[in-house]
Amino acid sequence: MTKRAESKYKIDRRMGQNIWGRPKSPVNRREYGPGQHGQRRKQKLSDFGVQLRAKQKLKGYYGNISERQFKNIYQEAVRRPGDSSEQLVGLLESRLDAVVYRAKFVPTVFASRQVINHGHIQVNGKRVTIPSFRCKPGDVISVKEASRSLALVLEATQLSERDVPDYVEADHNKMAATFVRRPAFADIPYAVQMEPHLVVEYYSR
């Protein structure tokens, strides 16, 4: 297991929120931060601190992707016409690891990256091992036939804690899903409030 996969709950505790809505999150029991000073009174954040926290939360949500990758996505978002914050979340949701997670083929976005890296996922019938692969509307994402009996995959399809959003059409009998469209911010089922406009402000300061 990768270091990032092991640290997913540290992200929850650092943010002070259950950002994936997982029932096992330690924030459900301890709402204060980690470490010996975690229970100290929280200081009021500056405007910069609020923007930084928003960026850390959104970046952490998508598997704690690297700063370079995240900034590259932001830069592409601001080059596109329209609202930059809407473009940002739309690009994040079109990543292959996000689509596999949304289709409920895996329980977490960290597990999504793992199954993609290990060659269990196909896009339009071809194996893809790059979690950041950009899905286009109409792409069919499926679990490789030999991998459909994996316990991780079978358990994930039965999870009741989240539903498949309407911009992904999933058939769990065939273990296939279609990426219908790039979503708007209002369409994305975040478990906590995300503030992508603050992320844009953070990078454009």
Side-chain angles (χ1 to χ4, degrees):
M1 185 176 290
T2 66
K3 183 178 180 181
R4 279 180 178 158
E6 291 173 343
S7 67
K8 59 181 178 291
Y9 291 137
K10 289 183 182 179
I11 297 172
D12 270 1
R13 294 206 61 200
R14 188 168 67 244
M15 296 296 108
Q17 294 178 290
N18 183 358
I19 66 173
W20 295 283
R22 298 281 290 161
K24 293 182 180 179
S25 174
V27 176
N28 296 338
R29 302 185 303 275
R30 301 187 297 275
E31 293 186 354
Y32 50 87
Q36 65 182 31
H37 304 299
Q39 296 187 61
R40 287 186 175 179
R41 184 183 302 171
K42 294 181 180 178
Q43 294 181 341
K44 185 177 179 180
L45 292 174
S46 64
D47 288 345
F48 172 79
V50 171
Q51 294 166 358
L52 176 62
R53 180 62 60 89
K55 189 265 290 188
Q56 290 173 330
K57 184 164 61 172
L58 189 64
K59 185 164 77 76
Y61 182 89
Y62 289 96
N64 203 21
I65 59 181
S66 73
E67 177 63 22
R68 177 181 291 181
Q69 276 188 317
F70 194 74
K71 190 170 184 179
N72 286 342
I73 294 170
Y74 158 77
Q75 290 172 340
E76 182 176 350
V78 297
R79 287 195 301 267
R80 289 173 174 247
D83 185 272
S84 296
S85 60
E86 289 279 351
Q87 293 289 354
L88 176 64
V89 294
L91 289 170
L92 287 167
E93 283 291 312
S94 64
R95 286 170 55 99
L96 179 58
D97 53 1
V99 177
V100 170
Y101 172 63
R102 293 299 184 204
K104 287 180 65 174
F105 294 149
V106 289
T108 70
V109 71
F110 296 90
S112 178
R113 294 172 67 147
Q114 190 174 53
V115 297
I116 294 167
N117 283 328
H118 291 179
H120 299 299
I121 299 298
Q122 296 176 325
V123 178
N124 299 327
K126 296 182 180 180
R127 187 177 69 166
V128 176
T129 58
I130 303 170
S132 60
F133 175 87
R134 183 75 51 77
C135 294
K136 299 184 296 294
D139 280 351
V140 176
I141 294 88
S142 58
V143 180
K144 192 173 65 174
E145 188 169 357
S147 306
R148 294 176 186 178
S149 59
L150 288 173
L152 179 81
V153 174
L154 294 174
E155 290 170 7
T157 60
Q158 303 302 316
L159 289 175
S160 59
E161 63 198 49
R162 59 189 175 91
D163 297 320
V164 178
D166 61 7
Y167 52 90
V168 176
E169 292 180 352
D171 184 339
H172 291 146
N173 291 321
K174 296 181 179 178
M175 288 294 181
T178 302
F179 184 56
V180 179
R181 59 181 172 83
R182 185 176 294 161
F185 176 57
D187 300 327
I188 304 172
Y190 293 119
V192 297
Q193 183 181 6
M194 293 293 180
E195 298 163 304
H197 66 285
L198 293 179
V199 180
V200 173
E201 291 176 10
Y202 171 84
Y203 282 116
S204 60
R205 70 190 190 284

